[in-house]
Amino acid sequence: MSDLFDDPAPSDRPGQNAPEFTVSEISGEVKRTLEGTFGRIRVKGEVGRVFKARSGHLYYDIKDDRSVLACTTWKGQISSLSVVPEEGLEVVVTGRLTAFGGQSKYNMNVDEVAVAGQGALMALLEKRKKQLEAEGLFAPERKKPLPYLPQIIGVVTSPSGAVIRDILHRLRDRFPRKVLVWPVAVQGANCAAEVARAIDGFNQLTPGGALPRPDLIIVARGGGSIEDLWGFNEEIVARAAAGSQIPLISAVGHETDTTLIDFVSDRRAPTPTAAAELAVPVRLELLGWVEQQGARLTRGAGQAVQNRRQRLNDLSRALPKPDTLLETPRQRLDQVSYRLPDALIRGVDRRRLKLSEAAASLRPATLRQLVQGRRDGLKNLSSRLSLRPIEREVARQGDRLAQLAQRMNALQSQRLQQARRGLDATGRQLEILSYKATLERGYAVVRHGSDVVTRAAGARGADHLRIEFADGEIAVHPDGSDAGAKTVQQSTAQTPAPSKPAARKPKADPGQDDGGQGTLF
């Protein structure tokens, strides 16, 4: 064991001439060796794990009972694949073998995928059929009826094949209609996507627009192998046909060929020519049928008129003659007209007798009694219609009016007294608050012009002053000079004599209203 650890490095050993490689160099050499040795190869196996990355690249495995080969199809190569790999499908892939040094792995870049055999294709088809059937896309109740005579027919097929010529020829022979052709690839990698886009495109057209929306769609293709028809077995085509709002006829392949679109379409035609026959009726047959129905209608109407004429004749023979019907009424009229004059005379006599009897019963005494009875009734009514109740009511209403007048006068007097008392109280308050009462107690008011002087400094600066006392005003000069210009303004009130101390006013009557102002003394 110690010898192993003490063994010198290979580069230190004498006679070692093997070159040294870096990791990148050996990885590149392995990649070049793989790509140069194998080149473009085909590998058969069963598809294992399938993963589509966010970048759009497709990663999957091809395996057999012992080994697994990792495969990659880049985003730009997926659209060219005729068959998209699905787990469990046996395929033959074609591409180049390469190595990825970042993880010391090798894989195969696949640019073409083909199904390994018809049995695998049928198994895949059966798997898709069960899936769509479980979703209810094959249910008979969701299939739409075909229009009896469509105005515009949309055809999804190749514009260069014999299919479109057969459809147009059959339509021209049976009943010419307007046809819109949507050209698509009917086999290969682009077949499924183009057919699905064509069906959706026809459904998105506006009815009555510049490019009118068709009333019926025919998806047609000639016969071929299962690989050639595989585009019509793709799930996107089946879902596009199931979601079509326009009735759709599938005419893919010959009568023995069956594709997935046949199960989801509203009607399956064995051939494209048969699809044209299902789309429109035969014009000549339709014209013949219309003429036949017109003739039947004419014959039926004529026969109905003839039957009714015969019935009318039979009924007319059963009716009696008009003279026979009128004989009895005429006899009754003659009898009545003969008896009418005597009946009138007897009627007048009978009414004259009744009048005489009524006149005899109307004696003068009876009339007087009748008049007297009416007069007595009138007196009774007049006595009942006396004016005494009315007079009593008028007197009662008059007394009530007098009472209301008295109450109104008393209320008015009371309100006037209250207003007078309030006015007196306000006057007394005004006298109490007036400065005149202050002047009566020995004070004076000094004015300079219209302003009241309250400070000595203001009085010294004035050229003349006016002093107001309780009994008048005088004019003075602040410096005490000539006061010959004195002016005394006598008050209208007499100068009171020396008065005794004012007696305390008696306490106001609590019931008397003083306007809400209390006394100051």
Side-chain angles (χ1 to χ4, degrees):
M1 294 294 292
S2 60
D3 294 338
L4 292 177
F5 288 103
D6 296 338
D7 189 21
S11 58
D12 297 336
R13 295 173 185 174
Q16 296 291 335
N17 296 325
E20 295 180 348
F21 295 96
T22 64
V23 175
S24 298
E25 289 174 346
I26 196 64
S27 297
E29 189 65 27
V30 170
K31 180 176 181 180
R32 285 190 293 271
T33 302
L34 284 175
E35 292 177 353
T37 302
F38 292 96
R40 186 173 179 82
I41 59 174
R42 300 175 72 240
V43 179
K44 179 181 179 181
E46 180 183 347
V47 179
R49 177 188 59 88
V50 180
F51 172 72
K52 188 172 185 180
R54 290 185 178 181
S55 59
H57 307 319
L58 188 64
Y59 301 93
Y60 50 98
D61 296 333
I62 302 296
K63 62 182 181 179
D64 55 14
D65 55 345
R66 289 180 295 177
S67 302
V68 177
L69 174 63
C71 298
T72 303
T73 301
W74 306 121
K75 178 180 179 181
Q77 298 172 325
I78 294 177
S79 59
S80 62
L81 297 180
S82 58
V83 177
V84 178
E86 295 184 12
E87 187 174 355
L89 184 64
E90 187 176 3
V91 295
V92 176
V93 294
T94 304
R96 296 182 179 275
L97 198 65
T98 184
F100 179 54
Q103 296 181 355
S104 299
K105 293 182 179 180
Y106 69 94
N107 64 351
M108 182 176 182
N109 176 232
V110 178
D111 56 12
E112 183 178 345
V113 179
V115 180
Q118 185 173 356
L121 285 178
M122 296 306 296
L124 179 60
L125 177 61
E126 191 65 25
K127 177 182 176 183
R128 290 179 180 173
K129 185 191 299 185
K130 290 181 179 179
Q131 177 186 354
L132 297 179
E133 185 177 7
E135 295 180 13
L137 299 185
F138 299 168
E141 57 270 13
R142 61 166 300 278
K143 296 184 181 298
K144 298 175 286 295
L146 302 181
Y148 179 72
L149 187 61
Q151 297 295 325
I152 300 173
I153 300 175
V155 180
V156 179
T157 188
S158 173
S160 59
V163 172
I164 185 63
R165 291 194 297 271
D166 293 342
I167 292 175
L168 294 177
H169 178 70
R170 178 58 68 182
L171 290 176
R172 186 167 53 250
D173 290 345
R174 291 175 65 86
F175 205 119
R177 296 282 87 186
K178 293 182 180 179
V179 177
L180 292 178
V181 179
W182 195 300
V184 296
V186 293
Q187 69 181 40
N190 299 327
C191 172
E194 292 184 4
V195 171
R197 284 197 299 268
I199 296 174
D200 293 338
F202 274 136
N203 279 270
Q204 292 176 8
L205 294 178
T206 304
L211 188 62
R213 179 181 179 181
D215 304 316
L216 180 67
I217 298 177
I218 298 176
V219 179
R221 188 205 186 281
S225 63
I226 187 172
E227 290 82 3
D228 295 337
L229 303 178
W230 189 253
F232 297 92
N233 289 321
E234 294 292 344
E235 187 175 350
I236 57 172
V237 175
R239 293 191 180 277
S244 174
Q245 300 298 323
I246 305 173
L248 186 142
I249 300 177
S250 64
V252 179
H254 295 302
E255 187 171 358
T256 57
D257 297 326
T258 303
T259 56
L260 202 58
I261 193 176
D262 296 334
F263 297 96
V264 297
S265 60
D266 299 304
R267 196 74 176 271
R268 177 186 181 273
T271 61
T273 304
E277 294 176 355
L278 291 174
V280 294
V282 180
R283 184 171 181 271
L284 295 179
E285 293 180 358
L286 186 60
L287 290 175
W289 180 82
V290 171
E291 292 179 357
Q292 180 182 1
Q293 296 300 319
R296 290 181 59 188
L297 180 62
T298 303
R299 289 195 303 270
Q303 186 67 30
V305 171
Q306 182 64 29
N307 293 337
R308 283 163 177 75
R309 182 180 293 112
Q310 183 63 35
R311 179 63 175 168
L312 182 61
N313 293 334
D314 295 342
L315 292 175
S316 64
R317 286 194 298 268
L319 290 175
K321 295 181 179 180
D323 294 339
T324 305
L325 295 175
L326 295 176
E327 284 180 357
T328 301
R330 282 174 181 170
Q331 290 178 0
R332 287 201 300 268
L333 179 61
D334 292 341
Q335 293 176 1
V336 171
S337 61
Y338 177 75
R339 289 157 49 188
L340 181 61
D342 296 338
L344 290 175
I345 294 173
R346 287 194 300 271
V348 170
D349 293 341
R350 188 167 54 253
R351 284 167 177 76
R352 184 181 291 113
L353 180 59
K354 288 183 179 180
L355 181 60
S356 300
E357 292 175 355
S361 61
L362 292 175
R363 296 177 182 179
T366 305
L367 290 176
R368 282 194 298 272
Q369 293 175 358
L370 182 61
V371 171
Q372 185 62 33
R374 297 293 189 274
R375 186 179 289 113
D376 294 341
L378 182 60
K379 287 181 179 180
N380 294 332
L381 291 176
S382 61
S383 63
R384 292 172 62 185
L385 293 175
S386 176
L387 295 178
R388 291 180 181 176
I390 299 176
E391 292 175 354
R392 287 194 299 269
E393 181 66 20
V394 170
R396 189 174 62 82
Q397 294 295 338
D399 296 341
R400 184 180 178 184
L401 181 61
Q403 293 175 2
L404 291 176
Q406 291 177 0
R407 292 175 60 186
M408 185 175 65
N409 293 332
L411 182 60
Q412 186 175 5
S413 300
Q414 184 180 358
R415 288 185 178 179
L416 287 176
Q417 290 177 4
Q418 291 178 356
R420 187 177 291 110
R421 288 196 296 269
L423 182 60
D424 293 342
T426 303
R428 289 193 301 270
Q429 184 179 0
L430 180 61
E431 291 177 359
I432 292 171
L433 295 178
S434 176
Y435 74 95
K436 297 289 186 180
T438 306
L439 295 180
E440 291 290 345
R441 296 198 299 272
Y443 294 92
V445 178
V446 181
R447 287 187 176 89
H448 177 234
S450 59
D451 299 331
V452 177
V453 179
T454 60
R455 296 290 186 271
R460 294 190 190 97
D463 53 354
H464 66 277
L465 299 173
R466 289 187 297 110
I467 302 175
E468 181 182 359
F469 296 94
D471 58 348
E473 295 182 358
I474 62 172
V476 298
H477 293 285
D479 54 1
S481 60
D482 185 12
K486 294 180 181 178
T487 301
V488 177
Q489 195 172 19
Q490 294 294 335
S491 174
T492 56
Q494 295 181 358
T495 303
S499 58
K500 300 179 181 179
R504 183 180 299 274
K505 293 182 63 175
K507 188 175 183 179
D509 187 0
Q512 186 178 0
D513 186 7
D514 58 357
Q517 178 64 40
T519 178
L520 297 177
F521 302 98

